Amino acid sequence: DAGVTQSPTHLIKTRGQQVTLRCSPKSGHDTVSWYQQALGQGPQFIFQYYEEEERQRGNFPDRFSGHQFPNYSSELNVNALLLGDSALYLCASSWGTGGFADTQYFGPGTRLTVL
Amino acid sequence: LAKTTQPISMDSYEGQEVNITCSHNNIATNDYITWYQQFPSQGPRFIIQGYKTKVTNEVASLFIPADRKSSTLSLPRVSLSDTAVYYCLVGDLEDSNYQLIWGAGTKLIIKP
């Protein structure tokens, strides 16, 4: 049973560019959450997708957008990249309409470096 | 603001039992307590979850006193591979409108 997968593993971009990160949830999971984790800090919630709609959003600007596909996979898009967007981007999947405290399964993350 | 408070770091030695305590004074009636483990450059991994008293699984135990204002993650006989950051989170399993706030966690270093 494949767990949560993310691609790419590493990415280097320059300021002002746009980036798309991808996530496939664990088999049987229908909810995908995205997190940004800066070095030495805990994950910060970006948004969550359920039934192809954004259900909740954290305190991130509109430059951060996402999408969920019918097969439950998801994309995170970041426009007009800033140096401060450099971080580990984590995708987590869970099942059902439960709350955020429900067990989440995390992928290995995508390390984004903005130069 | 995070609903939990944990020590920033802890050291221990191989073979010892390690207890990490988390304070959550404002825990709500419907909140569960969940612990995650994270290795460098990897996603967090679920360790254990509980509501009250004691929960035990194959890797850890979780002790929750009656007032539920704190909880203690217990790792028996740690090894070097248990060196990681441990996060304590509280939240309502059924509330899809509440966002979990992750603190900085506890950095546990196991020495030989």
Side-chain angles (χ1 to χ4, degrees):
Chain A
D1 175 27
V4 179
T5 60
Q6 292 186 243
S7 63
T9 54
H10 295 85
L11 202 53
I12 299 175
K13 292 285 188 178
T14 57
R15 283 179 296 175
Q17 285 189 312
Q18 178 265 343
V19 68
T20 297
L21 310 180
R22 296 176 176 82
C23 171
S24 291
K26 181 178 170 63
S27 178
H29 286 185
D30 58 5
T31 301
V32 173
S33 302
W34 286 93
Y35 294 83
Q36 179 194 66
Q37 187 174 28
L39 206 59
Q41 298 182 21
Q44 283 196 301
F45 173 72
I46 302 175
F47 41 55
Q48 184 183 77
Y49 277 85
Y50 173 70
E51 292 188 341
E52 301 181 51
E53 291 191 359
E54 183 182 289
R55 179 161 67 176
Q56 270 292 307
R57 188 179 183 92
N59 189 26
F60 278 79
D62 292 343
R63 299 187 297 109
F64 290 77
S65 63
H67 188 77
Q68 186 179 34
F69 300 93
N71 66 354
Y72 308 121
S73 66
S74 177
E75 288 183 349
L76 163 65
N77 301 293
V78 187
N79 294 323
L81 285 167
L82 304 174
L83 295 179
D85 294 331
S86 294
L88 181 69
Y89 287 85
L90 296 163
C91 169
S93 74
S94 54
W95 178 84
T97 58
F100 288 79
D102 211 350
T103 303
Q104 296 186 70
Y105 292 80
F106 284 81
T110 293
R111 173 69 65 186
L112 173 64
T113 302
V114 182
L115 301 177
Chain B
L1 292 177
K3 291 180 69 174
T4 61
T5 302
Q6 308 174 229
I8 294 174
S9 64
M10 292 180 65
D11 291 352
S12 189
Y13 292 89
E14 281 191 293
Q16 298 294 307
E17 177 185 77
V18 171
N19 296 309
I20 306 174
T21 297
C22 178
S23 171
H24 28 81
N25 292 319
N26 296 321
I27 190 168
T29 302
N30 294 331
D31 284 348
Y32 276 70
I33 300 156
T34 310
W35 286 80
Y36 285 84
Q37 174 194 55
Q38 186 178 26
F39 298 112
S41 297
Q42 293 186 26
R45 182 177 73 104
F46 172 85
I47 301 175
I48 199 166
Q49 184 178 74
Y51 183 80
K52 62 180 180 180
T53 62
K54 177 184 175 182
V55 180
T56 298
N57 61 22
E58 63 277 8
V59 298
S61 294
L62 178 60
F63 297 92
I64 306 169
D67 66 6
R68 305 200 326 122
K69 293 184 182 298
S70 67
S71 60
T72 299
L73 173 72
S74 180
L75 305 172
R77 296 183 299 280
V78 294
S79 63
L80 296 177
S81 63
D82 291 315
T83 293
V85 177
Y86 292 82
Y87 295 95
C88 166
L89 299 139
V90 298
D92 188 338
L93 292 186
E94 300 299 325
D95 184 358
S96 62
N97 293 315
Y98 174 72
Q99 299 173 16
L100 279 179
I101 305 298
W102 294 64
T106 297
K107 185 174 183 179
L108 175 64
I109 298 174
I110 305 301
K111 303 175 182 179

